């Protein structure tokens, strides 16, 4: 064991050995020791999916303090799409940190912030004039998109959907659907938020084929009769719902909503915080159905792990907020901007959009095959490298969270990081770094299949 610990790498990135290697049980003794310290020092409300403490990560692996090397199918929740410690990100961060770490863009500006905005303006869907503003977290970007939409329209109502997740700040808790753990005991919440049914094909009462058009009619009728379109500032939606369970809306739902918004002066906001930056096999998931949002929120995959988020969209909408109305001390921090430019360049140079599609072509058939073998897999869905299986009591729709957790734990014990999701806690989701080697991905799928065979 000593040998394994001594051999553990101090430097991460793509040169780390791309292997699954377990030298202790998971978690190992050093992680267990650190977890005890963590429990004594860190507030209970901050949870842990897999209590191994990391020393290095890169490509498709995460290496822990005990010398174990785990296959990463989580990317730190869809963040390190370009891989952990990606060379261009590391170099850009080091250079920028050596030059200056902060001035506050609102005090004395710097080029990196402007360059990131220019990139966002050109990469997001739509060939109209666009502008951007930068923030720190996804939740902060969503809050600012709501502020901007309200300033532009002079209206206050915001429409969101069942199963939505938009963050944990006060306004974004109100926008988020699920009570436990995100909202429970934390109210009161912000007003003027209206929740509508989601086009959830697997659970649509009249069947998946009818889901998109029927859900759109329902939502449009409710917006018209219950809210009054003249009161609605924004419709806010994830083009594929993330924490809600990787729900790909029924075909036609997003285009119908976007058209309705256009016709009625409502700002259509796509929350691409989890789906953006190549994750779904397109630079932005709205493009799969040709939807051009008025505003797009981004974070996560934008900066290879550094905290950065943005609102990007139609210049006339973005400019509706008065001078000084948007911003924050750290928003668009120069080191995070340098990281974003490195990450975006990596996405383009390595064609990570194409890689995400390739990952789908490797994973989706295997997951479908597993659904044929294991009756608890009720649905296989997603796009690109954002894929999931929904676990139910065989033969119906009843969610089976216990089996979901058991399969996830079996994967963890075997050295594969997988995450769960879903309103009912019954979705296993897969978000590999887009640079993961094929062999490692296939090995992770073998482990997953073995976990299903053992647990069910
Ligand atoms: C779609 C979506 N919106 C917003 C957020 C909130 O982002 P953050 O955790 O950076 O505040 C998330 C995070 O998971 C998300 O997936």
């Amino acid at each position: 064991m000593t040998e394994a610990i001594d051999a553990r790498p101090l430097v991460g990135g793509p040169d780390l050995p791309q292997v699954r290697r377990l030298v202790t049980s998971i978690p190992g003794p050093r992680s267990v020791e650190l977890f005890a310290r963590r429990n004594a020092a860190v507030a209970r409300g901050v949870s842990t999916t897999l209590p191994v403490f990391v020393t290095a990560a890169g490509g498709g692996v995460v290496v822990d303090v005990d010398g174990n090397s785990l296959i990463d199918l989580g990317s730190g929740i869809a963040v390190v799409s370009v891989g952990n410690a990606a060379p261009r990100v590391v170099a850009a961060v080091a250079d920028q940190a050596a030059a200056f770490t902060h001035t506050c863009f609102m005090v004395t500006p710097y080029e990196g912030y402007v360059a990131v905005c220019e990139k966002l303006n050109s990469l997001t869907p739509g060939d109209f004039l666009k502008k951007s503003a930068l923030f720190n977290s996804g939740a902060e970007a969503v809050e600012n998109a709501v502020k901007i939409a309200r300033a532009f329209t002079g209206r206050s109502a915001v429409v969101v959907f069942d199963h939505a997740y938009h963050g944990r700040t006060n306004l974004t808790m109100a926008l988020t659907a699920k009570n436990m753990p995100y909202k429970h005991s934390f109210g009161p919440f912000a007003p003027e938020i209206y929740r509508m049914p989601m086009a959830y094909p697997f659970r649509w009462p009249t069947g998946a084929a009818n889901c998109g058009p029927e859900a759109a009619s329902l939502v449009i009728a409710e917006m018209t009769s219950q809210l009054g379109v003249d009161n609605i500032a924004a419709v806010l939606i994830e083009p594929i719902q993330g924490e809600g369970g990787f729900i790909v809306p029924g075909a036609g739902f997003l285009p119908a909503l976007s058209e309705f918004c256009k016709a009625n002066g409502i700002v259509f906001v796509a929350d691409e915080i989890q789906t953006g930056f190549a994750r779904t096999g397109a630079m932005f998931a709205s493009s799969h159905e040709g939807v051009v949002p008025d505003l797009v929120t981004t974070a996560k995959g934008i900066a290879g792990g550094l905290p950065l988020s943005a609102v990007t969209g139609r210049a006339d909408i973005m400019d509706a907020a008065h001078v000084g109305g948007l911003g924050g001390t750290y928003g668009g921090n120069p080191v995070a901007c340098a990281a974003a430019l490195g990450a975006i360049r990596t996405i383009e140079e390595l064609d990570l959009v194409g890689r995400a599609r390739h990952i789908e072509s490797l994973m989706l058939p295997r997951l479908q095959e597993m659904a044929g073998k294991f009756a608890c897999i009720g649905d296989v869905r997603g796009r690109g490298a954002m894929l999931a299986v929904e676990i139910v009591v065989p033969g119906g729709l009843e969610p089976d969270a216990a089996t979901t957790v058991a399969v996830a734990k079996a994967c963890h014990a075997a050295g594969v990081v997988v995450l769960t999701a879903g309103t009912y806690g019954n979705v296993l989701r897969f978000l590999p770094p887009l640079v993961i080697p094929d062999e490692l991905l296939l090995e992770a799928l073998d482990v997953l299949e073995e976990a299903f065979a053992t647990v069910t």
Side-chain angles (χ1 to χ4, degrees):
M1 197 172 77
T2 311
E3 198 183 316
I5 291 168
D6 288 344
R8 79 176 188 268
L10 296 172
V11 176
D15 294 337
L16 272 181
Q18 296 296 298
V19 290
R20 180 172 62 106
R21 185 190 63 222
L22 297 186
V23 295
T24 70
S25 56
I26 298 291
R30 290 193 166 197
S31 279
V32 169
E33 214 178 295
L34 281 167
F35 202 68
R37 268 174 62 195
R38 174 235 190 267
N39 281 343
V42 179
R44 187 174 71 123
V46 184
S47 65
T48 302
T49 301
L50 173 50
V52 300
F53 281 73
V54 176
T55 52
V61 299
V62 170
V63 177
D64 75 9
V65 285
D66 290 288
N68 299 297
S69 175
L70 293 83
I71 303 178
D72 182 12
L73 295 189
S75 297
I77 321 188
V79 170
V80 285
S81 300
V82 294
N84 240 303
R88 282 206 181 279
V89 173
V90 172
V93 164
D95 288 351
Q96 180 57 51
F100 64 96
T101 48
H102 175 80
T103 61
C104 186
F105 187 74
M106 300 183 304
V107 178
T108 48
Y110 38 88
E111 186 180 349
Y113 187 116
V114 179
V116 171
C117 291
E118 287 167 348
K119 266 288 178 197
L120 285 164
N121 298 344
S122 72
L123 288 174
T124 49
D127 52 12
F128 39 77
L129 197 63
K130 281 178 243 161
K131 287 194 174 182
S132 293
L134 304 183
F135 306 97
N136 301 291
S137 67
E140 208 186 338
V142 172
E143 291 237 4
N144 278 281
V146 170
K147 281 164 64 172
I148 293 164
R150 283 178 170 159
F152 178 71
T153 57
R155 307 169 179 177
S156 55
V158 178
V159 169
V160 290
F161 294 84
D162 288 336
H163 312 289
Y165 182 85
H166 298 292
R168 294 173 182 265
T169 56
N170 187 263
L171 175 58
T172 57
M173 276 193 294
L175 300 166
T176 289
K178 189 175 176 177
N179 174 51
M180 198 60 152
Y182 307 124
K183 302 164 73 163
H184 184 71
S185 81
F186 298 146
F189 303 113
E192 285 301 307
I193 309 296
Y194 299 90
R195 194 167 306 286
M196 298 284 162
M198 178 61 187
Y200 189 164
F202 179 59
R203 295 183 177 276
W204 194 253
T206 63
N210 303 322
C211 176
E214 284 185 10
S217 304
L218 199 63
V219 171
I220 287 168
E222 286 193 16
M223 282 199 278
T224 309
S225 64
Q226 293 182 21
L227 305 188
V229 290
D230 292 344
N231 299 311
I232 305 175
V235 167
L236 167 67
I237 190 162
E238 299 152 86
I240 298 175
Q241 287 184 318
E243 306 305 299
F246 284 23
I247 302 165
V248 182
F253 185 64
L254 294 176
L257 290 186
S258 152
E259 282 309 310
F260 181 78
C261 287
K262 238 177 224 97
N264 292 284
I266 300 167
V267 178
F268 184 83
V269 186
D271 181 347
E272 294 253 16
I273 284 164
Q274 191 151 162
T275 52
F277 290 100
R279 173 56 54 188
T280 69
M283 193 55 98
F284 293 97
S286 305
S287 306
H288 290 293
E289 284 198 89
V291 169
V292 179
D294 297 309
L295 298 181
V296 177
T297 55
T298 52
K300 291 187 180 281
I302 191 176
L306 276 283
L308 186 73
S309 68
V311 183
T312 300
R314 274 174 43 196
D316 55 335
I317 300 178
M318 289 299 296
D319 278 341
H322 55 274
V323 173
L326 306 177
T329 305
Y330 296 111
N333 166 272
V335 181
C337 285
L341 295 171
I344 293 168
R345 191 146 165 218
T346 303
I347 291 170
E348 292 172 337
E349 279 178 356
L350 301 184
D351 181 25
L352 294 187
V353 170
R355 265 304 290 172
R357 290 202 191 124
H358 176 69
I359 287 171
E360 177 182 329
S361 77
L362 290 181
M363 287 192 78
L364 205 52
R366 278 294 301 277
L367 295 174
Q368 280 157 347
E369 203 184 298
M370 285 183 220
K373 280 189 194 163
F374 305 107
C376 65
I377 301 180
D379 194 25
V380 177
R381 57 178 179 251
R383 291 190 202 274
M386 184 174 180
L387 301 171
V389 292
E390 180 162 351
I391 311 299
V392 291
V393 175
L397 294 175
E398 192 187 330
D400 187 349
T403 298
T404 311
V405 170
V407 173
K409 281 193 182 316
C411 288
H412 297 167
V416 176
V417 181
V418 296
L419 308 175
T420 59
T423 299
Y424 316 112
N426 68 325
V427 175
L428 274 175
R429 57 170 158 167
F430 311 108
L431 292 159
L434 303 179
V435 293
I436 190 171
D438 287 0
E439 316 78 60
L440 213 54
L441 189 62
L442 296 172
E443 186 178 336
L445 288 166
D446 292 342
V447 169
L448 177 68
E449 181 158 355
E450 183 65 32
F452 271 112
T454 311
V455 166
T456 59

